[in-house]
Amino acid sequence: MLDGLVLSRTDDQQNDQPIFKLFERAFFSAVQSADCVHVDDGGLQCRDIRGGFDPVRWDQLMNQMWRLVEHAYKHPSLAHALAMSLYSWFWWEGPGSDRVNVVTGRLACDFFATSLNFNNCVDPNLPLQDFFQRNCHMRWRYLLMIASELGRYLAVVRLDMRAARDVLQSAQRYFQAMRQLPAFGPHAGKLASPHDISLNADYFPASVVNQGPIWKNAREQVPIVAFLEDNFPTIQGELLAILADEHRFSLMNQATRNAEPQFGPRDDDWLTAYLVRGAAFNELVCAHAPRTCALLRARPELADCHSGLSGSGFLRMRPGGRLKPHFGGAPRLSAHLALLVPDGEVYMSVGHETTRWVEGEVITFDDTFIHSVTHNGDKPRYVLNVWMCHPCDPTESHGAAGRTIPDYCDGPQHGVLPPDLPAR
């Protein structure tokens, strides 16, 4: 029993949801929107905006986090839950700060490593069935994502080369250990860095190798890309009509957004207005963009894609906004039609590549690589986001009778999922 929770000492996956939910409730009660600045003593001074930030509850949340950290050092069955919670709710130094919390990041790495050992995920002789049932494949990936991104942040932003070297050396040791595990298949030996890791490799390893993080010939290879670009004036026009009403987009965001973990430092860094999810169209939102919804209904990649990971909607990124490094859900493919892109440093990192939006053009990318967004421009950036069933997915017809699998899907098809586990 801990903080009113009944926790397991032997099965750490049983502890994931109760601890995550504990932090989720506490986080959303303490932080919704806040404007924070760094002060001379290195701390944060926060100003409550729209009644969203409660500094007393924030302090309580931090104290609760440290109490659980102490327990996790003594009880490794708590390590994975703490690692995911630290990443999910404490990636930034505080509400409104765009500085990465190096202390909690390093703790998350320590706890992910502890959870790998606790579950015997480092043993190359662990049966594949056990490897996946214990979620070892995702534990390894989150450890490598956090360690590599934290090291890059220390080197590029903090210019702390000594700390960056320590973290990146640890990341490289973890990476080399992961590449030796038979569960990750023959493609693992071709990975040059943690930023080559993709969740889609579990399903379509040849396509991941052939295409990489950002697809280079998507207009020819993915039919919806040319369709979106050809209809750019219509889609942009409906977005502009929505934005003509000062509060309409924010209301659409409230109506369609899920309760997400802390993706950005501020609650309004990233706003969404989803038109469709899992082939189900939101008629209330479509009423504000009827022509865009009509266009999307005509696309089998969305209308006939019943995966809960599919969908489309308008996304807004505020000036100064950030999206922390994360993995998208697999299996799927993503596309952004750039609708309004301000001048300045506005870019997305996907795997080992970086790209910038150009109005009227589509970026097609595999969001199951590590990816993040930085917006240092002076106006909001808007895109139409599309999450579609992957073209290499043989279980999805995409509405085409007798559809053939594209050539870029061909190659050694040994992913990490053993054949006796479901792929979806």
Side-chain angles (χ1 to χ4, degrees):
M1 179 75 71
L2 177 65
D3 284 353
L5 304 176
V6 178
L7 301 172
S8 172
R9 290 180 179 269
T10 57
D11 185 350
D12 66 349
Q13 293 188 82
Q14 288 186 18
N15 299 330
D16 287 348
Q17 186 174 21
I19 290 180
F20 186 87
K21 289 294 183 183
L22 175 72
F23 279 113
E24 181 182 54
R25 289 191 299 270
F27 182 88
F28 282 113
S29 68
V31 179
Q32 289 293 341
S33 296
D35 184 20
C36 299
V37 297
H38 287 273
V39 292
D40 292 340
D41 64 1
L44 284 172
Q45 187 174 68
C46 297
R47 177 173 61 93
D48 183 4
I49 55 177
R50 296 194 303 278
F53 175 63
D54 186 332
V56 174
R57 289 187 176 181
W58 174 253
D59 288 343
Q60 292 172 346
L61 176 64
M62 293 297 294
N63 290 334
Q64 189 173 49
M65 183 268 289
W66 286 116
R67 287 201 309 272
L68 285 170
V69 164
E70 291 176 3
H71 283 285
Y73 273 119
K74 300 173 184 176
H75 305 289
S77 64
L78 303 181
H80 184 257
L82 257 293
M84 283 303 301
S85 294
L86 289 168
Y87 164 72
S88 297
W89 308 111
F90 300 97
W91 178 258
W92 311 103
E93 283 192 351
S97 171
D98 60 6
R99 289 166 50 126
V100 173
N101 192 325
V102 176
V103 173
T104 54
R106 298 187 80 153
L107 282 172
C109 290
D110 289 347
F111 286 136
F112 270 118
T114 297
S115 82
L116 286 167
N117 284 297
F118 181 73
N119 284 275
N120 211 25
C121 297
V122 298
D123 182 1
N125 297 313
L126 183 69
L128 287 182
Q129 187 83 15
D130 293 340
F131 189 88
F132 295 105
Q133 286 182 345
R134 298 178 191 184
N135 211 26
C136 295
H137 58 307
M138 293 305 298
R139 297 174 196 262
W140 275 108
R141 285 163 168 158
Y142 271 96
L143 169 60
L144 289 166
M145 176 183 69
I146 294 171
S148 58
E149 287 288 330
L150 186 61
R152 183 160 68 172
Y153 171 79
L154 286 165
V156 174
V157 179
R158 290 284 186 91
L159 302 179
D160 187 341
M161 298 307 168
R162 179 175 295 179
R165 179 198 62 197
D166 292 344
V167 174
L168 290 173
Q169 285 179 345
S170 295
Q172 191 62 22
R173 288 195 298 270
Y174 297 139
F175 181 59
Q176 295 303 328
M178 187 214 77
R179 292 172 70 218
Q180 304 306 313
L181 295 173
F184 288 100
H187 290 294
K190 301 177 182 179
L191 302 178
S193 80
H195 286 92
D196 293 326
I197 292 171
S198 164
L199 307 192
N200 272 337
D202 292 2
Y203 304 91
F204 321 114
S207 172
V208 170
V209 171
N210 293 334
Q211 298 288 3
I214 300 175
W215 289 33
K216 306 303 183 293
N217 301 305
R219 188 174 174 90
E220 292 74 31
Q221 295 173 332
V222 184
I224 197 173
V225 171
F227 177 84
L228 292 172
E229 292 182 347
D230 292 345
N231 287 283
F232 165 73
T234 297
I235 299 170
Q236 185 196 51
E238 288 203 317
L239 172 66
L240 291 172
I242 290 170
L243 299 179
D245 182 327
E246 180 181 0
H247 302 293
R248 185 180 302 174
F249 196 90
S250 294
L251 293 173
M252 293 168 69
N253 169 71
Q254 293 175 20
T256 67
R257 185 179 181 183
N258 291 335
E260 304 276 8
Q262 184 199 27
F263 275 165
R266 290 152 291 268
D267 186 54
D268 64 346
D269 271 6
W270 187 57
L271 299 186
T272 65
Y274 282 104
L275 306 167
V276 55
R277 284 180 181 267
F281 282 81
N282 188 321
E283 302 303 337
L284 293 176
V285 180
C286 283
H288 298 286
R291 290 179 292 172
T292 299
C293 282
L295 291 169
L296 297 178
R297 291 181 203 273
R299 298 308 308 180
E301 301 94 333
L302 284 168
D304 295 337
C305 178
H306 297 280
S307 164
L309 300 172
S310 68
S312 180
F314 297 117
L315 305 184
R316 189 202 84 165
M317 190 70 158
R318 74 186 290 275
R322 301 285 189 273
L323 280 189
K324 71 183 179 185
H326 62 286
F327 294 110
R332 71 180 180 199
L333 186 64
S334 293
H336 281 178
L337 172 64
L339 299 175
L340 296 172
V341 182
D343 293 332
E345 188 184 42
V346 185
Y347 62 88
M348 175 170 59
S349 297
V350 187
H352 56 268
E353 301 186 58
T354 298
T355 187
R356 191 184 190 280
W357 296 270
V358 176
E359 286 187 11
E361 297 183 8
V362 170
I363 298 172
T364 305
F365 63 103
D366 183 342
D367 78 332
T368 72
F369 281 86
I370 301 167
H371 64 290
S372 60
V373 178
T374 298
H375 185 342
N376 291 329
D378 58 357
K379 295 179 182 177
R381 180 233 62 184
Y382 290 89
V383 301
L384 179 74
N385 176 57
V386 174
W387 288 325
M388 70 192 93
C389 283
H390 199 284
C392 297
D393 192 341
T395 68
E396 291 290 340
S397 68
H398 300 291
R403 180 179 76 93
T404 59
I405 301 299
D407 290 342
Y408 54 75
C409 303
D410 293 338
Q413 293 299 319
H414 177 63
V416 303
L417 289 181
D420 53 345
L421 286 184
R424 301 297 292 274

